[in-house]
Amino acid sequence: MSILVFAEHDNNELKADTLKTVAAAQAIGGDINILVAGANCSAVAEQAAKVNGVSKVLVADNAAYEHQLAENISLLVTELAGDYEHIIATALTTGKNFMPRVAALLDVAQISDIIGVESADTFVRPIYAGNAIATVQSLDSKKVITVRATAFDAVATDGNAEIVALDTVTDAGTSSHVSDELTESERPDLGAASVVISGGRGMQNGDNFKLLEGIADKLGAAIGASRAAVDAGFVPNDMQVGQTGKIVAPDLYIAVGISGAIQHLAGMKDSKIIVAINKDEEAPIFQVADYGIVADLFDVLPELEAKL
Amino acid sequence: MKVLVPIKRVIDYNVKVRVKADNSNVDLANVKMAINPFCEIAVEEAVRLKEAGTATEIIAVSIGDKSCQEQLRTALALGADRAIQIETDQNLDSLHVAKLLQKVVEEEQPQLVILGKQSIDSDNNQTGQMLAALTGLPQGTFASVVKVDGDKVNVTREVDGGLQTVALNMPAIVTTDLRLNEPRYASLPNIMKAKRKPLDVKAASDFGIDLTPRSTLIKVTPPSERQAGIKVESVDELVEKLKNEAKVIS
Ligand SMILES: Cc1cc2nc3c(=O)[nH]c(=O)nc-3n(C[C@H](O)[C@H](O)[C@H](O)COP(=O)(O)OP(=O)(O)OC[C@H]3O[C@@H](n4cnc5c(N)ncnc54)[C@H](O)[C@@H]3O)c2cc1C
């Protein structure tokens, strides 16, 4: 059996989540190849070649793939699909964007966001914002799967796979990239950080997120937010944690001025330790918190920063 | 310009679903149902395009049993002009939904199809992309801004790193994210008017598509519940616990 894993990257760096997606591929079992599709992405290919348990790295290096447009990437992956029983990507915005296209072009269903592998055709995935866990058996000959990275442990990177350049170029010609507006941050990625501190509507405005920064600096934490904080314009969309935002599972998650709606919990309740800071002792966030402190966040945050 | 808006009837987002005792599925008996929030955003966007003079007709379509007519009436009350129900009792895979929608797209020839990025029940995030692939159209998923510009549409997308804007040749497929708009409430007169708007019912079995399931739901179980922990009295106690008990900071 052969498995194709799509590499998440920004043309320079292989994203750590790909190492977790490869772990899911290993759980399925088979010969694992990684696809690096991008432009001027040879550095990524070299990093991918070091991923453990991978036999081959296929590199499609072409301007058509620079921005990972779904129309172009899906054609490429569909062309390669003949050689594989499983095609796997991380359930991040790139994979979520193009993978269903691949499934439809191959006339198979997609199994989204798996958190467990029971066998080569049976997978476990959360539904209803994680309030139920489904075990699903695929009846299709090819499996198109996206993986929730937080559910798998990264594989090591002391491998030595062969790098193979592909010369296929698949440009659908129906879409083009206009611009990016990326959030610049020196902090770790939300998905990769071992500590996350998130602010909600209780933060009152974007300026007050500075109160989280000092603490984040001391803990090497990433900063996240609830939907309410994003909708109110306090912080950018890429900070939203939850059912329809980012999924995180750090060692320590600190929820500040967040009530704990099911949609927010869906994105963070697999964290190892949860701390809640909220002035309402009835807030549902306390039902999942290991340590809660019922107090005004504007008193707690400066004191916490000072005492860390 | 015609805009097609596929919508789904789902559990209300405020309801915490329960798993059936026999682990066969979740229990939806007597649970409040509503239009999927992302679909509601899709309807609102279409209505705004019509109000701006860009769209001329809005068609809402839903696939399901008779009860989804309720959500189609909601869409009509919000401003859709007519509705199509594709009747089936089957719980379809996204691929089947996309194939049925493909037929509707072929028949109606919309310039834009706006869908929700995911439904909050199955959380699949697939249908829009699959429809785009089947129709060979470009897609702008997770949209926070949609701007029609001649025969192109610019879509600003919410991506992991921030925002990305793409230009798509029309016809095109758009899926909505939360920041695209804030849906309006239907007014009482519009709810009354919606009752008289056309709603066509077609049988899914008449579309000539093989709807054999592509997967088997083996079981549905409740997630492992976290136990509520303790309340600490002071920041000192919190720091002490994190260091010495949880050992997550040093
Ligand atoms: C389709 C859909 C998708 C969604 N997806 C997501 C998602 O991915 N992520 C997400 O987070 N939400 C999501 N939501 C929204 C979710 O339902 C909640 O509305 C949201 O999480 C609430 O954010 P919040 O906790 O910051 O705000 P609120 O619920 O308003 O809570 C604010 C909290 O701050 C506390 N507070 C206020 N002032 C202070 C103070 N001075 N000191 C201490 N505490 C204070 C209050 O006691 C309160 O508990 C989604 C909703 C829908 C319908």
Side-chain angles (χ1 to χ4, degrees):
Chain A
M1 254 186 348
S2 303
I3 305 175
L4 184 66
V5 174
F6 179 84
E8 275 282 332
H9 65 88
D10 57 4
N11 292 317
N12 296 309
E13 210 185 342
L14 182 70
K15 292 281 182 250
D17 281 341
T18 300
L19 305 179
K20 300 179 180 174
T21 302
V22 169
Q26 286 184 336
I28 292 167
D31 181 38
I32 301 173
N33 292 177
I34 290 187
L35 170 65
V36 175
N40 300 316
C41 56
S42 55
V44 180
E46 275 158 36
Q47 293 158 43
K50 297 206 174 72
V51 178
N52 265 29
V54 173
S55 65
K56 232 192 292 183
V57 175
L58 310 178
V59 188
D61 194 332
N62 190 282
Y65 308 128
E66 182 177 359
H67 301 287
Q68 318 235 313
L69 294 173
E71 296 76 12
N72 300 352
I73 299 279
S74 58
L75 290 177
L76 171 69
V77 175
T78 308
E79 229 179 84
L80 299 172
D83 296 336
Y84 301 94
E85 277 84 56
H86 294 82
I87 298 159
I88 304 184
T90 316
L92 293 169
T93 48
T94 304
K96 287 178 183 175
N97 190 32
F98 81 84
M99 283 290 268
R101 279 189 90 105
V102 172
L105 292 172
L106 295 172
D107 194 23
V108 302
Q110 171 175 305
I111 315 273
S112 292
D113 221 10
I114 64 163
I115 57 170
V117 175
E118 299 272 288
S119 71
D121 65 4
T122 304
F123 308 94
V124 182
R125 58 180 304 267
I127 52 177
Y128 292 87
N131 288 310
I133 307 293
T135 303
V136 187
Q137 181 174 27
S138 162
L139 305 174
D140 284 313
S141 56
K142 272 189 207 302
K143 310 332 178 205
V144 173
I145 296 166
T146 62
V147 173
R148 178 174 291 194
T150 53
F152 296 88
D153 291 324
V155 299
T157 50
D158 52 7
N160 185 13
E162 176 195 0
I163 297 181
V164 182
L166 302 174
D167 46 22
T168 33
V169 179
T170 50
D171 189 343
T174 51
S175 61
S176 58
H177 177 263
V178 177
S179 61
D180 286 328
E181 208 180 300
L182 301 181
T183 307
E184 301 288 339
S185 169
E186 301 287 300
R187 297 184 197 287
D189 270 358
L190 260 178
S194 58
V195 180
V196 174
I197 181 164
S198 292
R201 200 194 313 263
M203 297 300 295
Q204 291 178 3
N205 57 49
D207 245 15
N208 287 336
F209 269 71
K210 290 205 184 81
L211 296 169
L212 304 181
E213 286 175 13
I215 297 171
D217 287 342
K218 287 197 163 169
L219 296 175
I223 300 183
S226 70
R227 174 194 173 178
V230 177
D231 281 6
F234 301 172
V235 290
N237 62 279
D238 51 278
M239 286 170 63
Q240 181 183 316
V241 171
Q243 177 190 15
T244 62
K246 286 184 180 162
I247 308 292
V248 301
D251 293 338
L252 173 61
Y253 187 89
I254 308 176
V256 185
I258 291 177
S259 60
I262 51 177
Q263 293 84 7
H264 189 78
L265 300 185
M268 45 62 82
K269 72 178 162 132
D270 291 327
S271 304
K272 202 168 130 217
I273 297 290
I274 296 174
V275 170
I277 303 171
N278 198 305
K279 67 178 181 189
D280 171 12
E281 64 175 333
E282 300 294 322
I285 190 76
F286 288 121
Q287 291 162 18
V288 300
D290 299 279
Y291 304 109
I293 180 159
V294 181
D296 193 305
L297 66 92
F298 295 102
D299 298 330
V300 172
L301 292 176
E303 188 182 345
L304 181 60
E305 183 182 341
K307 290 186 170 156
L308 282 171
Chain B
M1 165 177 114
K2 256 195 216 180
V3 181
L4 182 71
V5 186
I7 61 170
K8 186 175 183 186
R9 173 183 169 91
V10 298
I11 189 170
D12 183 88
Y13 80 95
N14 281 309
V15 178
K16 187 171 170 185
V17 79
R18 288 193 194 290
V19 171
K20 285 185 186 166
D22 66 359
N23 289 343
S24 60
N25 209 328
V26 297
D27 191 355
L28 293 181
N30 303 317
V31 164
K32 186 173 174 215
M33 302 295 280
I35 181 171
N36 179 46
F38 288 102
C39 302
E40 200 176 0
I41 295 171
V43 174
E44 175 68 30
E45 195 62 16
V47 173
R48 291 189 189 188
L49 285 169
K50 195 172 169 198
E51 286 169 345
T54 313
T56 49
E57 189 185 21
I58 303 167
I59 306 149
V61 52
S62 192
I63 301 169
D65 64 19
K66 195 161 191 285
S67 58
C68 75
Q69 289 190 8
E70 193 187 330
Q71 279 62 47
L72 286 170
R73 291 288 172 204
T74 305
L76 292 169
L78 291 171
D81 296 294
R82 60 187 170 93
I84 304 169
Q85 181 211 350
I86 301 180
E87 171 114 29
T88 174
D89 290 335
Q90 218 182 309
N91 204 349
L92 298 175
D93 286 316
S94 312
L95 181 66
H96 295 137
V97 172
K99 285 183 177 188
L100 289 166
L101 293 176
Q102 179 190 5
K103 298 283 183 192
V104 179
V105 169
E106 282 165 7
E107 172 146 349
E108 297 285 351
Q109 300 283 322
Q111 285 297 98
L112 265 186
V113 185
I114 312 180
L115 309 87
K117 78 165 178 177
Q118 84 191 60
S119 61
I120 59 165
D121 49 2
S122 51
D123 279 335
N124 273 319
N125 196 332
Q126 299 175 353
T127 303
Q129 297 90 316
M130 286 182 163
L131 176 62
L134 295 174
T135 51
L137 297 178
Q139 69 189 42
T141 53
F142 327 145
S144 67
V145 182
V146 173
K147 271 200 193 116
V148 175
D149 180 12
D151 55 1
K152 283 197 194 291
V153 56
N154 281 328
V155 179
T156 300
R157 312 178 48 235
E158 295 199 356
V159 295
D160 291 325
L163 297 169
Q164 178 193 57
T165 301
V166 291
L168 313 174
N169 297 349
M170 290 209 288
I173 311 281
V174 169
T175 75
T176 62
D177 216 318
L178 296 169
R179 259 65 62 179
L180 183 57
N181 60 51
E182 212 175 302
R184 70 195 66 192
Y185 291 98
S187 67
L188 198 57
N190 284 344
I191 293 172
M192 299 312 288
K193 251 199 268 171
K195 292 186 177 155
R196 292 188 303 274
K197 288 185 180 175
L199 192 162
D200 265 4
V201 181
K202 301 181 179 186
S205 51
D206 288 348
F207 282 74
I209 294 166
D210 177 5
L211 298 175
T212 315
R214 300 304 189 89
S215 59
T216 312
L217 185 59
I218 294 183
K219 64 174 179 187
V220 176
T221 53
S224 52
E225 289 293 338
R226 286 186 84 98
Q227 297 298 321
I230 57 162
K231 298 240 169 74
V232 296
E233 295 303 324
S234 66
V235 172
D236 285 319
E237 190 186 348
L238 177 65
V239 172
E240 191 272 323
K241 295 277 186 203
L242 291 177
K243 276 190 181 154
N244 301 322
E245 195 175 83
K247 299 189 177 20
V248 283
I249 63 172
S250 47

